[in-house]
Amino acid sequence: MEKIPSHDITPPTVGHHTPGESHTQEMYAKRRHIYVREIKGLFQKIRRSANWALMLVFFLLPWINWGDRPAIWFDLPGREFHIFAATFYPQEFVLLSWLLIICAFGLFFITVFAGRVWCGYTCPQSVWTFLFIWLEHRIEGSRNQRIKLDKQPLNTNKVWRKSAKHAAWLVIALATGITFVGYFTPIRTLVTELPTLEAHGWSYFWVGFFLVFTYLNAGWLREQVCIYMCPYARFQSVMFDRDTLIVSYDKERGEPRGSRKKSLTHTQAREAGFGDCIDCDLCVQVCPTGIDIRDGLQYECITCAACIDACDSVMDKMGYPRGLVRYTTENALEGKKSHILRPRLLGYFAALIVMVAAFAWAVNDRMPLGFDVERERTQLYQTTRDGRISNVYSLNIRNLDNQDHTYRLSVSGLPSVTLDDVVVSVPAGEARLQIVTVLVDASDLTEPSHPIIFTLQAQQDESLRIERESRFLGDIRR
Amino acid sequence: MNNLWGDSLSSFWSAWIIVITLGTIALSVWILLANRRTDKIPDADGNVETTGHAADGIEEYDNPLPKWWFQLFVLTVVFALGYLVLYPGLGNFAGVLGWSQESQWEEEVADAQERFTPIFAQYQEVPIPELARDAEAMQVAERVYLNNCAVCHGSNAQGGYGFPNLTDDDWLYGGEPENIMMSLNNGRNGLMPAWQQLGENNIENLTQYVLSLSNLEHDEERAASGESTFLAACAACHTPSGTGNTALGAPNLTNDIWLYQAPGQSVADSVRQTLRNGRNGHMPAQAAYIGEERVHLVAAYVYSLRFND
């Protein structure tokens, strides 16, 4: 079988030495530090706006109140999950799995359509990394200044710049930690209690946990998370097809690359045998995962489009048309027609729609009322002095609504079945245990066991109504 | 602690577990170190040695692990060893922290005691008739009742065969707070002797007399001849008029409430059975099981049942 020519996709110094270099015995891959150059451009504007918007949402949401409680509050000790007007309980956890399935299908759908846009524009790892790099740039200076700074021996300038950078990172990481914990415990009390050491021990633990890992992930690990840890990076390629949007270098147009006099016009350069790529290396310098997009599609590429903006800015300067590096598809690159609507995409879309509809139906149809019926375990039945048969049931009534309710209980299923008038008041979010005795005339009982139905109905709200079946046991010897 | 092997593992099984646990860690370390490798050196054409795995013509490179990742693996080994020093895991070695599931359970029980004792102590200050009208206290009390008393007296407290109904006005030992407390704290032994030696004829006469006391259908003649036997043999406990004696726990025979009437059984049959064989009712003392604070609360709960009607 003929070998398909493949590219070495590993970053240059990861993995192998170049011939002639001295072969020090490196036991493990040494990490190459990536100095990301800042670039301006359309896609960076989009990415930055998306980042700011997402961060704003993340940092502000816990501060919004709904009535006298936070609008978003995952109250783990209370086992109540408040999301604006709705309150969910652990019994409804299946909804969470549905939501996660929706997110997964959403991710698959967008990946088939537009590649790894999730990674480049919205993934928290990228968002925080870009924020940290932004701070790095403000404090330590541009790419070249940073490289120079790292080569310098320790001096006051280096010490204070480095400490300022890490201090800034830690402040962001601390804010992230506090905000994260703020989703689980009301943030207003949290921020007043944290400094006075009055907060719960676990609050300190989790604030510290997210502080450390935000700092490590966004400050130190960065692209290593995408390359070595992220499972999504491992399987996203199976969702790609030849019509998936990818960031790609147009080899046809760019090669042969090489530097040339700036005075050459586009046509003159072409005539001189140059492709459009001037080999300025800018696309490599701006890449947050440190790859060279000109080597083709690589799994490290998070389609943040920094290289597109970099190349476009160079093309503008050279007076060449934009788009040497661009969002395109494999088919389009080869001059074939790209199909947007294709079975794979429609399939994911259909699955997504089905899941969203099912979820919407489940949320809408969800009855904020829990009702369990349990027969008395110690006695099958009793005979009353007037000859009737009694069965005892334990009823568990949970008011899952935001309002207090009064429920009326009734029972049916046998002609003479009776139950003392039972009216149960249950405050919002609480549960009540109710023991009831159900009476039936002995003459009704033709079988040792009859099905009966308990109905629980909220007095003020017709929609709150639940039925539960149970068994009524009697004597069969008569 | 009782497990399959008794109080602790025999030294063989203990050693077996230690060998497996430490062996697994050693194996992990060996795999970690054995897979340590230097960078592959490319040949003159820049080709690097691959693992030899190929799928659809795509070959797998054999690149080394990032160093920080290797360090994380080392950290997990250090963690495992540290854990095994601190916590039980190596056979019979209990770990230097002395932690066990049992001690954790005991801690949690102590925690619960610490939280609930003040609540129960607060309730204990309140006299039973007053406590019985405290709805919140009665919700707590109902839980205690359901956990400890419902097995015999039923979830609805209406009792059953051999177990008194706690919701009516008939009390074997009196229904005042102090009587209920006495029953709960110290338990009760209700003993009705067997009267088989009186002979079947006398037993039948007595049965008819007992039925007549609560105006149930009976044989007038036999009842009349049973009266003298009743006064001689039964009146000492049940009183001459048959109204019972709460000091002895002797039931009132005039109110048509029958503790030992099994489902489907006639009153006459039940009385005959009682006379022939006697009865032996036993209410266990609860103070030792649930403590006096809870007894006080449950007593109030039982007392509160009279308000339901």
Side-chain angles (χ1 to χ4, degrees):
Chain A
M1 203 169 78
E2 205 192 339
K3 218 171 103 178
I4 295 176
S6 59
H7 274 291
D8 179 4
I9 55 170
T10 46
T13 56
V14 179
H16 58 83
H17 296 275
T18 43
E21 208 175 308
S22 72
H23 299 134
T24 49
Q25 294 294 297
E26 280 290 336
M27 285 303 187
Y28 290 95
K30 222 175 150 190
R31 178 160 169 215
R32 182 177 52 118
H33 194 88
I34 298 171
Y35 295 91
V36 181
R37 178 194 279 271
E38 210 168 68
I39 192 76
K40 286 196 173 75
L42 171 68
F43 293 107
Q44 297 325 291
K45 209 176 267 174
I46 296 173
R47 190 182 53 69
R48 231 170 258 151
S49 322
N51 286 3
W52 286 124
L54 286 171
M55 257 193 265
L56 218 61
V57 169
F58 172 76
F59 281 109
L60 287 187
L61 260 186
W63 293 92
I64 298 170
N65 270 9
W66 189 275
D68 53 357
R69 60 160 170 86
I72 308 280
W73 181 18
F74 306 112
D75 181 5
L76 292 180
R79 287 160 180 80
E80 290 178 357
F81 308 94
H82 306 283
I83 296 168
F84 295 102
T87 300
F88 297 88
Y89 296 86
Q91 303 91 302
E92 297 164 296
F93 240 62
V94 65
L95 288 177
L96 179 69
S97 38
W98 286 35
L99 196 65
L100 292 176
I101 294 172
I102 289 176
C103 291
F105 277 124
L107 186 63
F108 298 164
F109 172 74
I110 197 76
T111 303
V112 171
F113 177 64
R116 294 180 74 179
V117 286
W118 159 262
C119 297
Y121 293 84
T122 50
C123 172
Q125 175 68 27
S126 306
V127 170
W128 260 259
T129 299
F130 275 117
L131 175 67
F132 275 40
I133 293 176
W134 183 82
L135 280 169
E136 199 168 57
H137 185 102
R138 301 283 94 71
I139 295 168
E140 290 185 2
S142 68
R143 178 174 192 266
N144 291 339
Q145 289 170 313
R146 295 206 298 274
I147 295 173
K148 218 184 283 170
L149 187 73
D150 278 359
K151 281 189 182 145
Q152 280 171 21
L154 269 189
N155 56 41
T156 18
N157 178 47
K158 186 168 177 172
V159 166
W160 94 254
R161 276 184 196 278
K162 289 276 174 194
S163 351
K165 179 182 82 174
H166 288 287
W169 283 359
L170 285 168
V171 167
I172 302 284
L174 176 67
T176 309
I178 293 173
T179 306
F180 193 89
V181 174
Y183 282 88
F184 296 88
T185 176
I187 197 162
R188 286 157 203 270
T189 43
L190 183 69
V191 292
T192 52
E193 285 176 354
L194 275 178
T196 54
L197 299 179
E198 283 167 334
H200 199 279
W202 282 113
S203 295
Y204 288 104
F205 173 80
W206 286 112
V207 168
F209 184 89
F210 281 96
L211 182 150
V212 168
F213 280 92
T214 307
Y215 173 73
L216 286 180
N217 277 339
W220 292 89
L221 282 170
R222 292 187 179 172
E223 83 288 348
Q224 299 280 305
V225 174
C226 309
I227 296 174
Y228 294 107
M229 297 176 178
C230 178
Y232 176 51
R234 300 274 147 189
F235 68 80
Q236 47 93 15
S237 58
V238 300
M239 282 173 282
F240 277 34
D241 58 24
R242 304 183 67 85
D243 293 310
T244 299
L245 275 185
I246 49 173
V247 173
S248 195
Y249 163 71
D250 191 342
K251 203 176 273 177
E252 293 295 314
R253 196 186 131 186
E255 301 293 322
R257 63 182 87 151
S259 55
R260 76 263 344 234
K261 280 205 191 85
K262 213 190 157 190
S263 55
L264 287 182
T265 63
H266 194 216
T267 30
Q268 285 169 332
R270 277 280 162 86
E271 281 159 10
F274 282 119
D276 281 1
C277 176
I278 64 165
D279 210 8
C280 64
D281 227 28
L282 221 56
C283 54
V284 179
Q285 293 175 14
V286 298
C287 180
T289 57
I291 58 168
D292 186 344
I293 194 64
R294 294 171 299 178
D295 290 342
L297 179 61
Q298 291 149 77
Y299 82 98
E300 289 95 334
C301 174
I302 58 170
T303 56
C304 67
C307 49
I308 299 183
D309 285 331
C311 192
D312 280 349
S313 71
V314 172
M315 291 297 111
D316 288 353
K317 257 181 223 151
M318 295 298 294
Y320 294 178
R322 289 178 162 212
L324 177 58
V325 180
R326 64 176 183 273
Y327 273 113
T328 181
T329 69
E330 276 187 82
N331 273 339
L333 266 183
E334 289 170 11
K336 294 179 197 156
K337 203 172 150 22
S338 259
H339 310 274
I340 294 179
L341 297 179
R342 48 205 194 268
R344 188 195 286 245
L345 187 71
L346 294 176
Y348 280 126
F349 187 68
L352 184 62
I353 293 298
V354 168
M355 285 312 298
V356 169
F359 181 75
W361 176 79
V363 168
N364 190 43
D365 197 55
R366 147 190 123 85
M367 173 89 60
L369 175 60
F371 185 35
D372 289 321
V373 176
E374 200 177 290
R375 259 189 52 85
E376 169 86 329
R377 278 166 293 190
T378 54
Q379 281 176 335
L380 296 181
Y381 65 94
Q382 278 177 286
T383 314
T384 62
R385 255 180 293 156
D386 56 13
R388 289 192 289 173
I389 309 293
S390 76
N391 276 200
V392 181
Y393 301 85
S394 301
L395 310 178
N396 200 339
I397 301 164
R398 295 181 304 279
N399 180 359
L400 306 177
D401 210 354
N402 278 327
Q403 295 160 309
D404 301 351
H405 279 295
T406 302
Y407 304 99
R408 181 176 291 279
L409 184 75
S410 56
V411 62
S412 59
L414 281 166
S416 62
V417 67
T418 50
L419 169 76
D420 289 339
D421 213 17
V422 178
V423 173
V424 193
S425 294
V426 189
E430 289 193 20
R432 283 280 176 277
L433 182 74
Q434 183 75 31
I435 311 282
V436 296
T437 308
V438 176
L439 292 162
V440 170
D441 286 349
S443 57
D444 272 2
L445 300 172
T446 52
E447 302 286 330
S449 166
H450 288 268
I452 59 167
I453 293 158
F454 286 93
T455 307
L456 193 67
Q457 165 76 61
Q459 281 192 327
Q460 310 302 333
D461 188 346
E462 279 200 0
S463 65
L464 290 179
R465 178 190 171 90
I466 281 196
E467 289 186 353
R468 286 278 180 275
E469 195 185 296
S470 188
R471 311 295 299 179
F472 191 94
L473 304 185
D475 197 346
I476 47 163
R477 284 172 296 176
R478 275 170 297 106
Chain B
M1 254 204 321
N2 275 303
N3 55 37
L4 216 54
W5 296 280
D7 282 330
S8 60
L9 304 177
S10 73
S11 49
F12 170 76
W13 288 113
S14 179
W16 180 250
I17 287 172
I18 291 173
V19 166
I20 289 180
T21 311
L22 293 182
T24 308
I25 294 176
L27 191 71
S28 305
V29 172
W30 177 78
I31 289 174
L32 188 56
L33 296 181
N35 282 292
R36 220 161 48 135
R37 43 169 294 278
T38 58
D39 282 357
K40 291 280 160 65
I41 298 153
D43 62 20
D45 301 328
N47 292 323
V48 192
E49 200 181 319
T50 66
T51 56
H53 305 153
D56 295 342
I58 298 171
E59 288 175 79
E60 188 185 343
Y61 278 106
D62 189 11
N63 287 321
L65 202 63
K67 195 175 211 160
W68 58 264
W69 209 346
F70 168 75
Q71 286 158 351
L72 275 186
F73 277 135
V74 173
L75 219 62
T76 60
V77 172
V78 172
F79 178 87
L81 292 174
Y83 184 92
L84 288 173
V85 170
L86 298 176
Y87 290 97
L90 291 179
N92 282 329
F93 176 59
V96 296
L97 288 185
W99 180 93
S100 71
Q101 289 184 340
E102 210 174 339
S103 67
Q104 193 182 23
W105 174 75
E106 278 162 4
E107 259 172 50
E108 279 174 27
V109 170
D111 269 2
Q113 290 287 7
E114 200 179 314
R115 264 196 304 147
F116 297 131
T117 304
I119 300 172
F120 286 121
Q122 211 180 337
Y123 287 146
Q124 209 179 1
E125 301 292 308
V126 185
I128 285 176
E130 198 182 314
L131 191 60
R133 298 212 176 259
D134 179 340
E136 198 185 318
M138 286 305 99
Q139 269 192 26
V140 181
E142 186 176 37
R143 292 283 174 180
V144 181
Y145 172 86
L146 288 173
N147 283 339
N148 298 286
C149 319
V151 177
C152 296
H153 292 281
S155 302
N156 61 354
Q158 288 177 4
Y161 179 74
F163 300 109
N165 183 343
L166 305 175
T167 64
D168 59 14
D169 297 327
D170 184 42
W171 298 91
L172 290 172
Y173 296 92
E176 294 313 306
E178 56 274 18
N179 308 130
I180 298 172
M181 284 292 285
M182 181 72 95
S183 300
L184 281 164
N185 273 326
N186 307 319
R188 298 287 187 183
N189 279 307
L191 181 68
M192 159 85 187
W195 293 96
Q196 211 141 27
Q197 73 274 20
L198 292 176
E200 270 304 302
N201 193 37
N202 274 329
I203 283 178
E204 190 53 35
N205 293 343
L206 268 176
T207 301
Q208 296 304 321
Y209 180 72
V210 169
L211 292 176
S212 77
L213 285 175
S214 48
N215 293 323
L216 294 169
E217 203 182 310
H218 60 279
D219 182 325
E220 287 290 351
E221 213 173 305
R222 276 186 176 272
S225 34
E227 184 172 7
S228 56
T229 323
F230 183 87
L231 290 173
C234 316
C237 295
H238 292 280
T239 74
S241 56
T243 50
N245 181 351
T246 53
L248 297 169
N252 182 348
L253 303 175
T254 65
N255 62 4
D256 195 20
I257 291 172
W258 306 97
L259 183 56
Y260 289 101
Q261 188 186 3
Q265 191 181 32
S266 70
V267 175
D269 277 348
S270 163
V271 172
R272 273 182 211 115
Q273 197 183 343
T274 306
L275 284 167
R276 280 189 202 117
N277 306 324
R279 299 288 184 183
N280 195 350
H282 177 63
M283 157 86 187
Q286 296 297 314
Y289 299 136
I290 62 175
E292 290 194 12
E293 298 100 340
R294 283 179 179 76
V295 163
H296 185 79
L297 198 59
V298 168
Y301 178 74
V302 173
Y303 191 78
S304 78
L305 294 172
R306 70 190 61 206
F307 307 139
N308 286 348
D309 298 330

